[in-house]
Amino acid sequence: YCVEFKTETLSHHCALENRPYARWMQYLREGHTVCVACQPPAMNTDTHRCSGDGHNADGSKILHWEAVGNSQCQGTWKKIRQLEHCSCPLVHSFIFT
């Protein structure tokens, strides 16, 4: 499954990232919608959920995220909806880890 989030805040450290494999962090923007897929091995084998997916959160709850590989690139987002069938665009598409 996938979860759509609206980014609320992000640290300035994301824009400063210039390592080739992590340049995607430069393109994160406040107010943009991002799509995050829950796939193995991040998926819990008992619950079939990914940690941090906002399962019990409504659209007003502020949730925190952190980029893998740069713990200073972090921020908050709000859950928009969960999609059982992922159709995440290639841009602004991520996975839970």
Side-chain angles (χ1 to χ4, degrees):
Y1 68 93
C2 293
V3 183
E4 289 182 350
F5 296 96
K6 180 182 178 191
T7 55
E8 296 290 316
T9 64
L10 57 109
S11 66
H12 73 279
H13 295 282
C14 302
L16 301 176
E17 181 61 68
N18 60 8
R19 292 174 291 174
Y21 64 88
R23 284 199 182 117
W24 61 267
M25 294 179 199
Q26 296 176 1
Y27 300 100
L28 292 169
R29 297 287 183 270
E30 292 178 2
H32 280 195
T33 298
V34 296
C35 185
V36 188
C38 178
Q39 303 172 349
M43 186 182 287
N44 181 299
T45 53
D46 295 328
T47 64
H48 298 286
R49 304 208 66 82
C50 283
S51 176
D53 69 357
H55 177 59
N56 294 320
D58 61 18
S60 64
K61 185 170 183 181
I62 300 286
L63 304 168
H64 294 269
W65 59 267
E66 180 180 300
V68 170
N70 182 349
S71 61
Q72 293 183 313
C73 178
Q74 56 186 292
T76 59
W77 56 19
K78 291 182 180 180
K79 180 179 176 182
I80 297 172
R81 62 182 173 158
Q82 179 177 317
L83 305 167
E84 294 309 316
H85 300 287
C86 298
S87 59
C88 294
L90 292 176
V91 180
H92 304 300
S93 182
F94 305 96
I95 59 169
F96 287 102
T97 59

